[in-house]
């Protein structure tokens, strides 16, 4: 079955850009959205944004100005860049697949998550 | 913009029924999805499109959605059901996914 694996630096300096990649194995990327979600320690889930295999994107309005996403279906991977990070961006970052049966998408496959700490 | 309201905590004895609510004005017009997250693990989809279950999810997990409240119901609760549960919808006004704040289910 489809498996997702996040990778990237676990430590990022404040004001710099956080970069993560999610590798997709065991399946194809077409006809799905590919998302990033984060979770600060002890807090709830926050959806960051998603990208379709065509490159179409949607972002959380609260993060939109700092987020860039890309997809490379030939490598079966997609990426997240979050610029101008602060301590508030410290969190576990998950990648996920969004699928649907009818009209609305839901996250049906998740990666294990990777912890990113922003240092001052 | 949608704000999904969940109770911070729900407690239930083993074998009883747990009900976790997710509230927002007219949420009954949306499709609601539910996730279970155990400590140190990634979330797992347990109900989608209000009341459908992914393969491998026990029938004890069910969902409903009407009016201003969606509900995740867990029947015959077991110790292994102890986890955080999150509801999620698509906010079509601003084109983004929204999660509820999460509910911690404690099995007494």
């Amino acid at each position: 079955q489809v498996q997702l694996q996040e990778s990237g630096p676990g430590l990022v300096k404040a004001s710099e850009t956080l970069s993560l990649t999610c590798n997709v194995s065991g399946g194809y990327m077409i006809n799905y959205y590919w998302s990033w979600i984060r979770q600060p320690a002890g807090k709830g889930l926050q959806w960051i944004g998603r990208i379709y295999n065509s490159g179409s994107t949607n972002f959380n309005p609260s993060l939109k100005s700092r987020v860039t996403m890309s997809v490379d279906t030939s490598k079966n991977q997609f990426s997240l860049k979050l610029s101008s990070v602060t301590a508030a961006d410290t969190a576990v970052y998950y990648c996920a697949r969004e699928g649907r049966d009818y009209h609305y998408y839901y996250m049906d496959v998740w990666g294990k998550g990777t912890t990113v700490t922003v240092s001052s | 913009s949608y704000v999904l309201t969940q109770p911070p905590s729900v407690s239930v004895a083993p074998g009883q029924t747990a009900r976790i609510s997710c509230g927002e004005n007219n949420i009954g017009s949306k499709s609601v999805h539910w996730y279970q997250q155990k400590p140190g693990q990634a979330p797992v989809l347990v109900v989608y499109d209000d009341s459908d279950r992914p393969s491998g999810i026990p029938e004890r997990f069910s969902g409903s959605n009407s009016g201003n409240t969606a509900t995740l119901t867990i029947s015959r609760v077991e110790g292994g059901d102890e986890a955080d549960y999150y509801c999620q919808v698509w906010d079509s006004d601003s084109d983004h996914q929204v999660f509820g704040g999460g509910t911690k289910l404690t099995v007494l």
Side-chain angles (χ1 to χ4, degrees):
Chain A
Q1 70 272 22
V2 174
Q3 293 185 319
L4 307 180
Q5 178 65 59
E6 304 89 349
S7 62
L11 190 63
V12 182
K13 292 183 179 179
S15 78
E16 296 189 345
T17 297
L18 177 160
S19 296
L20 295 174
T21 296
C22 183
N23 189 67
V24 180
S25 60
Y28 298 104
M29 295 192 72
I30 60 172
N31 296 331
Y32 292 99
Y33 277 99
W34 302 91
S35 296
W36 291 96
I37 301 100
R38 70 181 185 179
Q39 184 173 38
K43 296 190 177 181
L45 302 170
Q46 182 183 36
W47 185 80
I48 299 170
R50 69 182 187 179
I51 187 165
Y52 199 62
N53 56 271
S54 64
S56 172
T57 55
N58 300 104
F59 298 128
N60 188 318
S62 68
L63 297 169
K64 186 174 184 176
S65 63
R66 299 194 290 132
V67 174
T68 305
M69 291 187 182
S70 61
V71 62
D72 188 337
T73 54
S74 67
K75 294 183 178 179
N76 262 28
Q77 61 184 208
F78 60 105
S79 299
L80 166 71
K81 291 187 186 297
L82 181 65
S83 64
S84 304
V85 297
T86 69
D89 296 309
T90 294
V92 175
Y93 285 75
Y94 296 100
C95 61
R97 186 183 79 173
E98 290 193 24
R100 65 176 179 176
D101 269 7
Y102 302 108
H103 185 65
Y104 291 104
Y105 287 85
Y106 43 84
M107 283 135 259
D108 60 354
V109 181
W110 294 68
K112 294 184 185 302
T114 188
T115 299
V116 179
T117 302
V118 177
S119 66
S120 55
Chain B
S1 184
Y2 261 58
V3 176
L4 302 178
T5 301
Q6 297 184 236
S9 62
V10 167
S11 298
V12 65
Q16 300 304 303
T17 297
R19 294 179 179 85
I20 298 172
S21 62
C22 177
E24 173 56 279
N25 186 42
N26 202 26
I27 196 173
S29 66
K30 295 284 190 181
S31 284
V32 180
H33 320 296
W34 292 91
Y35 303 86
Q36 175 194 68
Q37 185 181 32
K38 297 182 179 179
Q41 298 183 20
V44 172
L45 181 71
V46 293
V47 167
Y48 65 96
D49 289 342
D50 296 339
S51 58
D52 290 334
R53 274 186 317 276
S55 62
I57 300 300
E59 291 183 7
R60 301 185 297 104
F61 289 81
S62 63
S64 62
N65 185 17
S66 179
N68 298 325
T69 306
T71 303
L72 173 69
T73 300
I74 309 171
S75 304
R76 302 181 299 283
V77 166
E78 303 172 356
D81 298 330
E82 195 163 270
D84 294 325
Y85 290 85
Y86 296 89
C87 57
Q88 173 249 312
V89 301
W90 175 254
D91 182 343
S92 53
D93 291 338
S94 49
D95 284 346
H96 73 284
Q97 303 281 18
V98 177
F99 286 101
T103 297
K104 181 176 180 60
L105 175 67
T106 299
V107 180
L108 301 171

